[in-house]
Amino acid sequence: MEIGLLLLLGWVAGWLTTVAGLGGGVFLILALSLRMSPAEALALSSPALLVGNLHRWAVGRDEVDRRIAWPFALGALPGSALGGLLVVAMPTAVLQLLLVLTSALALARALGWWLPRPPPAAALVPAGAAIGAMAATTGSAGLAIGAILQSAGLSGAAYVATAAATAVAMHVGRIAAYGFGGLVTGETALLSAALALAILAGNLAGGRVRKRLSAPACSRIELGVLFACVALALAGLA
């Protein structure tokens, strides 16, 4: 894959996630899936997205809602590892179909057509496991994480920081599984390192923009990202 295109996609992914709170990672995976298999796209993007989320977590560490983040991460780590092992053995067509379905559900939720019920506090650990498995197989965990965080009343910096903290656990679990399954190679690691730098640059640019945007503007950006994700998912299926 052309390094210039890879860096551009990484920058856009970091910018979108920082401004809208979610969507950048899914956009990146779907765009990469047009040039490689979904499994390869997941393996290439995961280490870079981990770096991006670590950065957002570090910047907003004082804003993290630990009552939600820690029990969720406790379930997300093993759940994402199991999902990552499934990716290694899953046919490409099945992975591509899952990308389409999860992108469509995210868009339906944003439009208010489907309103998932968030789990109670006592169910955060099993919910984290299920969502971690979703993250490893499709990269679309933001759909469910968003429902949990928004139902808890989080918004703005607290929303972005808590989402980043939970995403770190999911990325660690699935990267370990992808590596065990042979999807992470020396070439993948080098490309992912370049992608990580681009995501960090996008994070910084997005952070400056976010300070000047209203909540409705960020919501409109998120909706636009989800429309783009559905289009990319359908293009990959075709």
Side-chain angles (χ1 to χ4, degrees), residues 11 22 28 37 41 49 53 66 79 90 94 114 136 138 143 171 175-176 190 195:
W11 187 94
L22 57 87
L28 177 62
S37 73
L49 291 172
N53 279 289
R66 292 168 176 77
M90 197 175 291
V94 174
W114 175 58
T138 67
L143 165 68
H171 288 310
I175 289 169
L190 288 175
L195 189 58

Short mmCIF file of all heavy atoms in Angstrom, two decimals, residues 11 22 28 37 41 49 53 66 79 90 94 114 136 138 143 171 175-176 190 195:
data_model
loop_
_atom_site.label_atom_id
_atom_site.label_comp_id
_atom_site.label_asym_id
_atom_site.label_seq_id
_atom_site.Cartn_x
_atom_site.Cartn_y
_atom_site.Cartn_z
N TRP A 11 -4.03 10.17 9.50
CA TRP A 11 -4.29 11.53 9.97
C TRP A 11 -5.78 11.79 10.08
O TRP A 11 -6.26 12.33 11.08
CB TRP A 11 -3.64 12.54 9.02
CG TRP A 11 -3.69 13.95 9.52
CD1 TRP A 11 -2.73 14.61 10.23
CD2 TRP A 11 -4.77 14.89 9.35
NE1 TRP A 11 -3.13 15.89 10.52
CE2 TRP A 11 -4.38 16.08 9.99
CE3 TRP A 11 -6.01 14.83 8.73
CZ2 TRP A 11 -5.20 17.22 10.03
CZ3 TRP A 11 -6.83 15.94 8.76
CH2 TRP A 11 -6.43 17.13 9.40
N LEU A 22 -15.63 9.20 18.29
CA LEU A 22 -15.56 7.85 17.74
C LEU A 22 -15.69 7.94 16.24
O LEU A 22 -15.97 8.99 15.68
CB LEU A 22 -16.66 6.96 18.32
CG LEU A 22 -18.13 7.40 18.16
CD1 LEU A 22 -18.71 6.91 16.85
CD2 LEU A 22 -18.98 6.86 19.30
N LEU A 28 -10.95 4.06 9.23
CA LEU A 28 -9.62 3.61 8.81
C LEU A 28 -9.64 2.16 8.37
O LEU A 28 -9.10 1.81 7.32
CB LEU A 28 -8.63 3.81 9.97
CG LEU A 28 -7.21 3.32 9.73
CD1 LEU A 28 -6.57 4.07 8.58
CD2 LEU A 28 -6.37 3.49 11.01
N SER A 37 -7.21 -7.44 2.69
CA SER A 37 -8.28 -8.20 3.34
C SER A 37 -8.66 -7.53 4.66
O SER A 37 -7.85 -6.84 5.27
CB SER A 37 -7.83 -9.64 3.61
OG SER A 37 -6.90 -9.68 4.67
N ALA A 41 -6.32 -5.59 7.41
CA ALA A 41 -6.61 -4.21 7.80
C ALA A 41 -6.72 -4.08 9.32
O ALA A 41 -6.22 -3.11 9.91
CB ALA A 41 -7.90 -3.74 7.13
N LEU A 49 -3.81 2.34 16.21
CA LEU A 49 -4.94 2.87 16.95
C LEU A 49 -4.69 2.80 18.46
O LEU A 49 -5.16 3.66 19.21
CB LEU A 49 -6.22 2.10 16.59
CG LEU A 49 -6.74 2.34 15.16
CD1 LEU A 49 -7.88 1.37 14.85
CD2 LEU A 49 -7.20 3.78 14.98
N ASN A 53 -5.03 5.98 20.92
CA ASN A 53 -5.88 5.99 22.11
C ASN A 53 -5.07 6.20 23.38
O ASN A 53 -5.55 6.83 24.33
CB ASN A 53 -6.68 4.69 22.18
CG ASN A 53 -7.90 4.71 21.30
OD1 ASN A 53 -8.87 5.42 21.57
ND2 ASN A 53 -7.86 3.95 20.21
N ARG A 66 -13.60 6.60 35.95
CA ARG A 66 -13.05 5.29 36.32
C ARG A 66 -14.13 4.30 36.75
O ARG A 66 -13.92 3.08 36.69
CB ARG A 66 -11.99 5.46 37.41
CG ARG A 66 -10.75 6.17 36.90
CD ARG A 66 -9.82 6.60 38.01
NE ARG A 66 -8.59 7.21 37.49
CZ ARG A 66 -8.50 8.43 37.01
NH1 ARG A 66 -9.57 9.20 36.99
NH2 ARG A 66 -7.35 8.89 36.54
N GLY A 79 -12.12 -10.46 26.16
CA GLY A 79 -13.09 -10.54 25.07
C GLY A 79 -12.47 -10.21 23.73
O GLY A 79 -12.72 -10.89 22.73
N MET A 90 -11.58 -16.73 10.43
CA MET A 90 -12.84 -16.35 9.81
C MET A 90 -12.66 -16.05 8.32
O MET A 90 -11.72 -15.36 7.93
CB MET A 90 -13.41 -15.12 10.52
CG MET A 90 -14.88 -14.85 10.25
SD MET A 90 -15.48 -13.46 11.26
CE MET A 90 -15.43 -14.17 12.91
N VAL A 94 -17.14 -13.28 5.35
CA VAL A 94 -17.88 -13.13 6.60
C VAL A 94 -17.45 -11.86 7.32
O VAL A 94 -18.27 -11.09 7.83
CB VAL A 94 -17.67 -14.37 7.52
CG1 VAL A 94 -18.34 -14.15 8.88
CG2 VAL A 94 -18.24 -15.61 6.84
N TRP A 114 -32.55 3.25 15.92
CA TRP A 114 -32.33 2.10 16.81
C TRP A 114 -31.63 2.62 18.06
O TRP A 114 -30.58 3.25 17.98
CB TRP A 114 -31.45 1.05 16.12
CG TRP A 114 -31.08 -0.10 17.00
CD1 TRP A 114 -31.92 -0.94 17.65
CD2 TRP A 114 -29.75 -0.52 17.34
NE1 TRP A 114 -31.20 -1.87 18.37
CE2 TRP A 114 -29.87 -1.64 18.19
CE3 TRP A 114 -28.48 -0.07 16.99
CZ2 TRP A 114 -28.77 -2.30 18.70
CZ3 TRP A 114 -27.37 -0.74 17.50
CH2 TRP A 114 -27.53 -1.85 18.35
N ALA A 136 -12.55 -6.64 18.00
CA ALA A 136 -11.53 -7.45 17.36
C ALA A 136 -11.97 -7.97 16.00
O ALA A 136 -11.14 -8.15 15.11
CB ALA A 136 -11.16 -8.63 18.26
N THR A 138 -14.56 -6.53 13.98
CA THR A 138 -15.04 -5.52 13.04
C THR A 138 -14.44 -4.13 13.28
O THR A 138 -14.54 -3.27 12.40
CB THR A 138 -16.58 -5.37 13.13
OG1 THR A 138 -16.94 -4.83 14.41
CG2 THR A 138 -17.26 -6.71 12.92
N LEU A 143 -19.82 1.89 18.49
CA LEU A 143 -21.29 1.86 18.53
C LEU A 143 -21.80 1.57 19.93
O LEU A 143 -22.63 2.30 20.47
CB LEU A 143 -21.79 0.77 17.56
CG LEU A 143 -23.24 0.31 17.69
CD1 LEU A 143 -24.18 1.43 17.29
CD2 LEU A 143 -23.49 -0.94 16.87
N HIS A 171 -7.62 -2.89 22.34
CA HIS A 171 -6.53 -3.00 21.38
C HIS A 171 -5.43 -3.94 21.87
O HIS A 171 -4.88 -4.72 21.09
CB HIS A 171 -5.95 -1.62 21.09
CG HIS A 171 -6.84 -0.74 20.28
ND1 HIS A 171 -7.43 -1.16 19.10
CD2 HIS A 171 -7.26 0.54 20.47
CE1 HIS A 171 -8.15 -0.18 18.60
NE2 HIS A 171 -8.07 0.86 19.42
N ILE A 175 -4.48 -7.23 19.65
CA ILE A 175 -3.14 -7.26 19.06
C ILE A 175 -2.41 -8.55 19.46
O ILE A 175 -1.74 -9.18 18.64
CB ILE A 175 -2.33 -6.03 19.48
CG1 ILE A 175 -2.88 -4.78 18.80
CG2 ILE A 175 -0.84 -6.21 19.14
CD1 ILE A 175 -2.31 -3.49 19.36
N ALA A 176 -2.56 -8.94 20.73
CA ALA A 176 -1.94 -10.18 21.19
C ALA A 176 -2.48 -11.38 20.40
O ALA A 176 -1.72 -12.27 19.99
CB ALA A 176 -2.21 -10.37 22.68
N LEU A 190 6.15 -2.12 10.82
CA LEU A 190 6.72 -0.88 10.28
C LEU A 190 5.63 0.04 9.73
O LEU A 190 5.62 1.25 9.99
CB LEU A 190 7.73 -1.20 9.18
CG LEU A 190 9.06 -1.82 9.65
CD1 LEU A 190 9.92 -2.20 8.45
CD2 LEU A 190 9.81 -0.85 10.55
N LEU A 195 1.73 4.62 10.52
CA LEU A 195 0.32 4.95 10.68
C LEU A 195 0.07 5.59 12.05
O LEU A 195 -0.72 6.54 12.17
CB LEU A 195 -0.53 3.68 10.54
CG LEU A 195 -2.04 3.81 10.47
CD1 LEU A 195 -2.46 4.69 9.30
CD2 LEU A 195 -2.68 2.43 10.35
#
